[in-house]
Amino acid sequence: KQLSGEETGKPAIATLAMQKMREDLTRSNVFFPEKSQLEKDLAGTALQLEQIKQRIEQRKIDQSSYAKLKAQLTDYTNFVRQEILPKARTSFRLPTELYAEELAERGVEIPIDELLQDAHSAFTKIQQEMNVLAPQIAKKRGLQAKDYRDVIRSLKQEQLPTDQVLPHYEKRQKEIEAIIQREKLVTLPKRPLTIRLTTDRENTNFPVPQYYAPKASQKTAGVFIIPILKPDTQPRAYNDFTYPAVSWTLTAHEGRPGHDLQFTTIQDKGISDARSKFGYNPANHEGWALYAEAITLPFMPIEGQFISLQFQLLRAARAFLEPELQLGKISIAQALRVLTEDAGYSKFFAQQEIDRYTVRLPGHAPSYFYGYQRLMQLRQEVEQQLGRKFDQQKFHDFILAQGFMPQRLLRQAVLEQFAKS
């Protein structure tokens, strides 16, 4: 009723949106959305309306409210299709200044050229590290492997049956928590982490591992969700997240000591909205999760270490592929080749990545690599300053207790408060 205007007595939100957009259309410097993404959004309208209807029925709200809202949203959709879609951009590329702003808003604090140089260097270094481990795994498992790419393909053939995926990940989380406690990596919360498989809707929308954060005001656990292949909508070659070796790094990233510890710390310490909501940026959020993988990696079995490096390779690739696509330095075909041939991911997942870089979330993917690099550099700086006094558990607990903030402010807090305490 609020959306339709019945409850507020004000114009419907769809009406206000059309008015604002028509005003904007009179300007000469309008930057239109990208055509293919807009077409996808329009195609999803029917499903969204059906989901709204189901929620109204579940809450036993008067159906006349839905009929009014549906008519308004249908008018809005027709308006976008008739007046906006014909003027939509046919190129995904953002103007360089705008793309630089997208990176900055997501916590990347260095120029694009510096980001590209760091990412390419890291990508080559990680490939070398993987080629050190690859022969050891090949010998252990009796494989005829020439380089790390062959070993990735071999490990991914060990796909878990659907009914074993959830028990496997639950077991893996317990194993990693035991490592955390034994090695004193970070302080664990008392409540357990919840792990579940994706729903059909989640699996259709964005079938990748994800973490659903709990509400800061409630002492409930977050949820780590795992995608399950749906043969009717996804190719059988989508094999990136459901084999034993990959579960080490995914669980460390999404669960503990990764994202789950960020949000349980926010809950337990009552961290302010300024640092839990308004100060949020992906470089801090995702940078910690990559760092969590890295501090867990030395204690994984060799196959887990190897695939953890593969995911580091992906994050480095993101940090140069997305900017180079946006700047017109490489083609989509070249980026797909890097992701599938050099990084070892399925074509299905690689295409999802390309969509992310070009139209879905430009500016977001490089923040993983940048945030991780800054945390590793900060740790090295503090270790050098404190020497034998350095305590990694206290260091990690301090980092998490800061909530979300730009990397430069996090560094300032660590050096001024933790390193001098």
Side-chain angles (χ1 to χ4, degrees):
K1 289 185 178 182
Q2 288 181 336
L3 294 176
S4 66
E6 285 185 84
E7 190 173 282
T8 62
K10 298 179 180 179
I13 189 169
T15 301
L16 292 173
M18 286 188 288
Q19 290 175 353
K20 179 64 171 63
M21 293 170 74
R22 284 195 171 105
E23 291 174 7
D24 290 341
L25 287 173
T26 63
R27 293 161 41 203
S28 60
N29 60 343
V30 177
F31 189 71
F32 287 92
E34 195 274 335
K35 184 176 182 181
S36 65
Q37 185 62 43
L38 186 56
E39 288 173 336
K40 289 179 183 179
D41 293 341
L42 289 170
T45 301
L47 176 60
Q48 291 176 336
L49 286 171
E50 181 60 30
Q51 291 169 348
I52 292 172
K53 181 181 179 182
Q54 291 174 2
R55 290 191 179 186
I56 287 176
E57 291 173 348
Q58 290 170 357
R59 298 181 184 183
K60 298 180 180 180
I61 299 174
D62 184 3
Q63 290 294 309
S64 63
S65 299
Y66 169 72
K68 187 171 184 178
L69 179 62
K70 180 180 179 181
Q72 293 169 350
L73 294 177
T74 299
D75 288 344
Y76 173 78
T77 300
N78 291 336
F79 159 75
V80 172
R81 183 173 283 111
Q82 294 167 9
E83 299 189 39
I84 305 299
L85 184 59
K87 301 176 182 179
R89 292 181 291 124
T90 56
S91 170
F92 64 82
R93 290 177 56 193
L94 299 174
T96 303
E97 296 81 4
L98 181 56
Y99 178 62
E101 184 64 25
E102 292 287 342
L103 288 172
E105 286 186 3
R106 287 163 174 82
V108 178
E109 302 166 331
I110 57 176
I112 294 176
D113 288 345
E114 185 177 343
L115 175 68
L116 291 175
Q117 182 177 352
D118 290 348
H120 275 290
S121 297
F123 190 85
T124 300
K125 182 176 180 292
I126 297 165
Q127 284 182 307
Q128 293 168 349
E129 293 176 11
M130 293 181 73
N131 267 328
V132 171
L133 293 184
Q136 300 175 41
I137 297 173
K139 182 178 179 181
K140 175 183 175 182
R141 303 170 76 89
L143 304 176
Q144 297 296 318
K146 295 180 181 179
D147 70 0
Y148 74 89
R149 300 168 182 83
D150 297 323
V151 175
I152 292 174
R153 284 190 287 268
S154 177
L155 292 175
K156 289 173 74 172
Q157 289 176 6
E158 300 178 2
Q159 292 293 305
L160 294 162
T162 299
D163 62 351
Q164 294 182 23
V165 172
L166 182 57
H168 175 85
Y169 271 89
E170 290 173 334
K171 177 175 178 288
R172 187 67 76 232
Q173 180 62 55
K174 291 178 181 178
E175 292 171 329
I176 292 179
E177 288 187 6
I179 290 172
I180 293 170
Q181 292 177 319
R182 186 188 72 226
E183 302 298 330
K184 297 181 180 179
L185 297 180
V186 67
T187 301
L188 287 171
K190 294 182 180 179
R191 55 191 173 282
L193 169 68
T194 300
I195 305 176
R196 66 169 173 81
L197 304 180
T198 53
T199 63
D200 288 343
R201 178 185 174 189
E202 292 164 342
N203 208 59
T204 300
N205 290 345
F206 198 39
V208 295
Q210 297 179 63
Y211 177 77
Y212 285 176
K215 293 182 179 179
S217 60
Q218 300 176 358
K219 296 298 182 180
T220 55
V223 182
F224 167 27
I225 65 170
I226 306 159
I228 293 296
L229 174 67
K230 298 292 183 181
D232 55 333
T233 58
Q234 296 157 359
R236 294 188 179 276
Y238 183 39
N239 56 3
D240 301 291
F241 307 115
T242 48
Y243 61 101
V246 77
S247 61
W248 287 96
T249 198
L250 291 182
T251 305
H253 182 105
E254 305 291 351
R256 297 171 179 173
H259 287 319
D260 184 66
L261 281 194
Q262 292 179 304
F263 288 96
T264 53
T265 301
I266 286 171
Q267 284 182 315
D268 293 346
K269 293 189 174 295
I271 294 174
S272 68
D273 283 353
R275 292 196 179 190
S276 63
K277 296 179 182 178
F278 307 125
Y280 171 86
N281 69 79
N284 188 298
H285 180 216
E286 298 296 352
W288 168 262
L290 266 65
Y291 178 86
E293 295 177 43
I295 62 173
T296 311
L297 183 149
F299 313 106
M300 299 176 184
I302 190 170
E303 293 88 350
Q305 293 180 30
F306 179 77
I307 296 301
S308 192
L309 287 173
Q310 185 208 10
F311 274 74
Q312 287 187 24
L313 195 69
L314 170 65
R315 278 56 171 264
R318 285 174 171 172
F320 66 81
L321 291 178
E322 181 188 286
E324 289 177 352
L325 281 167
Q326 288 290 343
L327 297 175
K329 293 185 176 183
I330 61 171
S331 67
I332 287 177
Q334 289 172 314
L336 282 169
R337 187 199 63 77
V338 172
L339 291 170
T340 55
E341 296 181 20
D342 293 332
Y345 289 90
S346 68
K347 290 182 180 179
F348 181 80
F349 178 69
Q351 186 58 60
Q352 287 184 313
E353 286 286 297
I354 297 299
D355 291 346
R356 181 181 194 171
Y357 308 161
T358 55
V359 295
R360 184 182 288 169
L361 287 170
H364 188 270
S367 66
Y368 288 64
F369 173 79
Y370 176 79
Y372 166 66
Q373 292 286 96
R374 296 292 84 80
L375 277 176
M376 292 298 289
Q377 292 168 2
L378 179 59
R379 174 172 176 151
Q380 291 171 5
E381 189 173 353
V382 174
E383 279 190 287
Q384 289 176 357
Q385 185 171 333
L386 295 181
R388 293 183 179 181
K389 294 182 180 180
F390 178 78
D391 184 316
Q392 67 173 347
Q393 183 171 353
K394 291 181 179 179
F395 175 72
H396 297 151
D397 288 350
F398 183 88
I399 294 286
L400 290 168
Q402 305 314 301
F404 299 121
M405 63 171 68
Q407 291 292 327
R408 66 183 184 280
L409 295 183
L410 176 62
R411 179 178 179 275
Q412 180 180 341
V414 169
L415 295 180
E416 293 180 357
Q417 299 175 39
F418 178 80
K420 293 182 179 181
S421 62

